[in-house]
Amino acid sequence: MVQKILCVAEKPAIAKAVANHLAGGNVTTRHIQGNQYVKNYEFDFSFGPPWGNCSVTMTSVIGHLNGLEFEPNYRKWGSCAPEHLFDVQVVETVDDEKKALADNISQQARYAKALFIWTDCDREGEHIGAEVRQAALRGNQRLQVKRARFSNTERAHVLQAALNPIDLDERQVNAVAARIELDLRLGASFTRFQTLELQRMGQSLADRVISYGSCQFPTLGFVVDRYFRVKNFVPEQFWSIKVVHRRDDTDVTFLWRRHRLFDRMAVTVLFERCLIARTAKISKLQKKPTSKWRPLPLTTVELQKLGSMFLRMNSQQVMKIAEDLYTKGWISYPRTETDQFDKGIDLKKLIEKQVQDHTWGPYAQNLLNGAFRTPRAGRNNDQAHPPIHPVNYVVSTSLSPDERRVYEFVVRRFLGCCSEDAKGESTTIEITYGDEIFHANGLLVLQRNYLEVYTYDRWESSQQLPTFQLNEVFEPTEANMTAGETGPPGYLTEPELISLMDANGIGTDATMAEHIAKIQERMYVEVRSRSGAGRGNATEAAARETRGGRGSRGARGRGGARANATTSGAGGVLEFIPTTLGCALIEGYDNMGLATSLGKPFLRKEMEVKMKEICAGTKVRREVVQEVLEGYREVLVTAIRQVNVLRTACRKYVFNNGIENDG
């Protein structure tokens, strides 16, 4: 008798793609009751030993099947004190809208010999796989359970995954289970506390739900911190010396080695010594080869940062489109921390698929003709997925405009990785003028190499320096003492925010975009064009020049240019501005004197470290949940005791437009 295998994917599109690959196109499609998107695909496939030739039903879920809730007695907001939610019982249930999917899996499992799980191969996918297993075992307790390990839906890769199943990683399942429980308990307790206490203040807060999330608040904290650094910035005057010499109809500017000093008298004395010396001497003349390194293989964090900078879309849009391209089989799995290619991947075969493109095809062919270089290896390998790369070629007319931009970026980045570094020649001239050293630099780009295809990097030749001789003495054409003042940093942009989140362990590469979107949805942060006005009370917050705010956030700051910025769909520069409520929440918790404020990243970073310890097997789920809850319990108890501090911050920002009011 032919054995039956039940296969379950995480998304309907993955189920369809895998079924077509395994069946060779000979598939029977059946609709299921209760959901118009999920189908059952029936076909035959030989899995090899021990299963052999099998009758297969391939279906899917749509993300998580289950949800975690408090017991019914504690679901109403007034049912208990917020701090009690750290300890009350929680129950796992199948979400109402997913019951049809869970029932379908249970029914299909009744006559199956084995369950093959085809969820995404990351921590979240592992937990969804465990939920699928739970639903299947309700229909058949004797079921064998395996999972397919795959990182793209290219046919050969899918076939290889089907023939080499592995076990679910129970440690990753437990890590996600711990995170889900902590998110529920922490989110509900702090949200109820904030909302119930601040609604009593009335006015615009009377009907407002003031949500809390352990990732969203540190993310908001970064935005508020930068906002106050800008608003509290006090410029400082500085002085410098600039030397110019004209030769061969070219003005060469020599920059001061000290750059600038904040003492006018000291600079005046040094400048006068230069003038007394009258002549300058060439003390160093150096020409040497230089390179601009090709980029590292692409990770999720880099895709989000660079997508916001170059593709005229925010990080959440970039990730949504990348997921769609992955589901359609054009690129590899877009959620990865790995920035090094495994030696077993045939990179030239992937390049060969791009030769047919009329834009970058000739460049790809040149790589195959001998210009190919092994990509640089970064320091990160999540042992689950390769760097993001194209797995198949698709003509641009088959993609939407946004899909086209993301796909092109992934392809150009991949081809750039497989290229030679850009080559050039740098020239450095140093002069001694009085007791001071000045320098001029020149660059001549000789071979653009990877820059020809990876057009998002810039490296241009500078104005060519005229000929000088070592030890040559000349009288500078011009010498001036200049003055200026330091400027504030810019408001935080999305690439900067993602970098801060990544460096501080806030969220994972897969969830950062969601957290950024969440603080906007909750109206704690607004996005505005740097050259234009903002919206809502973000405009009010940005317009105020008060320097009360978070005193510790002020900075005299010795300089700093404005940072790179995100671009919007319309081409404008975007920056994050906290709303009045966003400022009030972060300043309120900061002023409570907590050992670790909720607006700081440390508590959440520590939680993420503990999740990794569960994955490594050095801690168990229950131990981690209790440790994290104890840390947050102390914060909540203090916050309840000092709730007037939070109310004072709300009066100051939400009701009084940032003005202190002791009444």
Side-chain angles (χ1 to χ4, degrees):
M1 181 178 175
V2 176
Q3 298 185 98
K4 179 178 176 180
I5 299 288
L6 172 61
C7 295
V8 183
E10 188 173 324
K11 308 175 185 74
I14 297 294
K16 183 178 181 180
V18 171
N20 282 323
H21 288 325
L22 297 184
N26 189 19
V27 179
T28 300
T29 303
R30 301 191 189 281
H31 295 271
I32 74 164
Q33 264 192 324
N35 191 290
Q36 61 178 318
Y37 303 108
V38 173
K39 309 286 191 298
N40 289 345
Y41 302 98
E42 298 174 356
F43 54 92
D44 294 331
F45 181 76
S46 180
F47 285 92
W51 294 283
N53 195 53
C54 298
S55 170
V56 183
T57 296
M58 180 95 203
T59 189
S60 79
V61 292
I62 304 176
H64 284 280
L65 278 175
N66 300 346
L68 198 67
E69 293 187 84
F70 297 112
E71 287 188 329
N73 292 344
Y74 299 102
R75 291 178 191 172
K76 292 185 178 179
W77 281 52
S79 59
C80 67
E83 62 269 29
H84 292 167
L85 295 176
F86 280 31
D87 303 304
V88 302
Q89 288 295 311
V90 293
V91 291
E92 187 176 22
T93 59
V94 177
D95 293 337
D96 288 342
E97 67 272 20
K98 304 292 180 69
K99 284 181 178 176
L101 307 184
D103 290 344
N104 179 53
I105 292 169
S106 298
Q107 291 166 13
Q108 296 301 322
R110 287 176 186 170
Y111 309 105
K113 177 71 174 177
L115 167 68
F116 274 34
I117 294 166
W118 289 79
T119 52
D120 292 341
C121 293
D122 57 13
R123 204 190 288 175
E124 209 72 23
E126 218 68 14
H127 192 275
I128 295 171
E131 295 171 13
V132 169
R133 176 179 62 188
Q134 187 180 55
L137 290 176
R138 280 197 291 268
N140 183 353
Q141 287 288 333
R142 299 182 302 278
L143 207 61
Q144 297 180 53
V145 180
K146 292 289 182 180
R147 78 109 72 237
R149 182 171 182 173
F150 65 107
S151 59
N152 65 69
T153 57
E154 193 266 335
R155 184 174 184 274
H157 187 70
V158 167
L159 292 173
Q160 185 72 9
L163 296 173
N164 296 278
I166 61 174
D167 294 326
L168 273 176
D169 186 333
E170 300 298 339
R171 292 173 178 175
Q172 290 197 51
V173 172
N174 287 329
V176 174
R179 192 267 304 158
I180 289 172
E181 181 177 349
L182 288 168
D183 283 351
L184 173 65
R185 293 187 185 279
L186 298 176
S189 58
F190 279 97
T191 297
R192 290 189 190 183
F193 159 66
Q194 292 176 167
T195 302
L196 294 174
E197 291 293 346
L198 297 182
Q199 280 184 346
R200 294 173 186 167
M201 300 182 70
Q203 298 185 50
S204 60
L205 299 179
D207 301 311
R208 183 82 176 261
V209 174
I210 303 171
S211 300
Y212 169 83
S214 60
C215 281
Q216 285 85 42
F217 260 56
T219 303
L220 172 62
F222 292 133
V223 175
V224 173
D225 178 80
R226 178 65 69 85
Y227 170 76
F228 280 107
R229 283 177 57 198
V230 174
K231 287 302 165 190
N232 297 343
F233 185 85
V234 179
E236 281 191 281
Q237 196 164 13
F238 61 80
W239 291 266
S240 186
I241 302 171
K242 185 175 80 168
V243 175
V244 178
H245 186 63
R246 187 169 184 80
R247 175 168 292 185
D248 299 336
D249 296 325
T250 300
D251 288 328
V252 181
T253 299
F254 291 91
L255 303 177
W256 195 20
R257 176 185 281 182
R258 299 179 191 265
H259 183 42
R260 62 191 182 190
L261 296 178
F262 293 86
D263 185 329
R264 182 176 183 276
M265 185 57 67
V267 177
T268 301
V269 170
L270 296 173
F271 178 58
E272 287 178 348
R273 289 177 182 173
C274 293
L275 297 180
I276 291 170
R278 291 190 58 234
T279 60
K281 181 179 180 180
I282 304 292
S283 53
K284 179 181 177 181
L285 183 59
Q286 184 181 60
K287 284 191 176 185
K288 62 179 181 180
T290 188
S291 299
K292 183 171 178 62
W293 288 354
R294 60 198 183 279
L296 286 169
L298 186 61
T299 65
T300 304
V301 169
E302 282 297 298
L303 175 62
Q304 292 176 88
K305 286 163 54 178
L306 298 176
S308 336
M309 292 172 68
F310 299 123
L311 304 183
R312 302 191 301 281
M313 56 185 77
N314 63 43
S315 59
Q316 194 174 40
Q317 291 173 305
V318 171
M319 288 309 300
K320 171 65 171 63
I321 292 164
E323 287 274 4
D324 290 344
L325 292 171
Y326 156 69
T327 301
K328 293 174 182 177
W330 305 130
I331 69 172
S332 62
Y333 189 59
R335 299 185 185 277
T336 177
E337 299 174 9
T338 302
D339 55 7
Q340 49 187 256
F341 281 107
D342 186 273
K343 292 180 180 178
I345 297 179
D346 190 343
L347 299 177
K348 290 186 178 180
K349 186 176 180 181
L350 295 172
I351 293 171
E352 190 176 337
K353 295 181 180 182
Q354 300 298 326
V355 168
Q356 57 194 297
D357 188 82
H358 70 278
T359 302
W360 55 76
Y363 188 91
Q365 185 63 60
N366 185 54
L367 292 180
L368 297 175
N369 291 344
F372 172 83
R373 295 293 181 271
T374 301
R376 295 166 55 207
R379 298 179 179 179
N380 305 299
N381 190 332
D382 60 18
Q383 303 298 323
H385 297 287
I388 304 166
H389 63 276
V391 295
N392 279 306
Y393 176 73
V394 56
V395 292
S396 61
T397 52
S398 299
L399 302 174
S400 70
D402 285 347
E403 287 177 328
R404 196 176 307 141
R405 287 203 298 274
V406 174
Y407 179 74
E408 179 175 346
F409 177 82
V410 171
V411 172
R412 288 183 178 275
R413 175 74 172 223
F414 172 67
L415 296 177
C417 290
C418 298
S419 303
E420 179 63 83
D421 297 337
K423 304 290 185 182
E425 181 183 75
S426 68
T427 302
T428 300
I429 302 173
E430 278 191 3
I431 64 172
T432 302
Y433 187 31
D435 295 328
E436 300 305 300
I437 305 295
F438 299 82
H439 66 272
N441 297 310
L443 171 67
L444 176 62
V445 176
L446 301 174
Q447 299 172 34
R448 291 182 56 77
N449 295 329
Y450 89 89
L451 293 169
E452 297 286 357
V453 70
Y454 190 65
T455 53
Y456 311 95
D457 270 359
R458 293 284 181 269
W459 201 47
E460 304 293 343
S461 296
S462 65
Q463 183 183 36
Q464 290 302 292
L465 297 177
T467 301
F468 287 91
Q469 301 298 323
L470 188 62
N471 297 322
E472 175 185 348
V473 176
F474 62 89
E475 186 172 344
T477 306
E478 184 182 330
N480 292 303
M481 181 171 158
T482 62
E485 65 176 27
T486 57
Y491 294 113
L492 207 60
T493 62
E494 190 163 33
E496 293 175 312
L497 181 53
I498 292 170
S499 293
L500 285 169
M501 295 171 72
D502 185 40
N504 287 278
I506 301 304
T508 64
D509 55 353
T511 61
M512 289 178 188
E514 297 169 20
H515 301 318
I516 293 172
K518 189 66 70 179
I519 61 174
Q520 295 176 66
E521 291 168 15
R522 291 174 174 174
M523 293 186 287
Y524 297 158
V525 162
E526 297 268 5
V527 178
R528 72 172 194 180
S529 171
R530 179 166 285 174
S531 58
R535 302 189 304 273
N537 52 3
T539 309
E540 301 163 17
R544 293 190 302 274
E545 296 296 333
T546 58
R547 287 205 176 113
R550 303 167 84 186
S552 61
R553 305 275 177 166
R556 294 181 67 81
R558 299 242 163 161
R562 290 187 177 271
N564 292 334
T566 311
T567 54
S568 70
V573 178
L574 297 181
E575 55 196 10
F576 291 108
I577 308 291
T579 62
T580 52
L581 180 57
C583 289
L585 290 171
I586 296 301
E587 183 169 299
Y589 283 112
D590 275 6
N591 289 347
M592 287 182 183
L594 297 164
T596 303
S597 172
L598 293 181
K600 301 291 197 301
F602 309 117
L603 282 171
R604 180 66 202 203
K605 184 174 185 178
E606 184 180 348
M607 186 195 304
E608 185 57 34
V609 169
K610 292 181 187 297
M611 297 301 116
K612 291 179 179 178
E613 289 177 331
I614 297 176
C615 293
T618 57
K619 285 186 181 291
V620 297
R621 170 187 170 185
R622 185 46 48 194
E623 175 187 10
V624 165
V625 169
Q626 289 307 314
E627 287 178 358
V628 173
L629 287 178
E630 287 310 306
Y632 278 92
R633 191 192 306 273
E634 182 181 339
V635 173
L636 182 56
V637 169
T638 302
I640 292 170
R641 194 166 56 241
Q642 298 197 45
V643 67
N644 282 335
V645 176
L646 190 58
R647 289 182 182 141
T648 297
C650 286
R651 275 191 213 98
K652 174 181 173 182
Y653 289 102
V654 180
F655 300 153
N656 295 329
N657 292 323
I659 300 170
E660 296 279 6
N661 187 338
D662 296 331

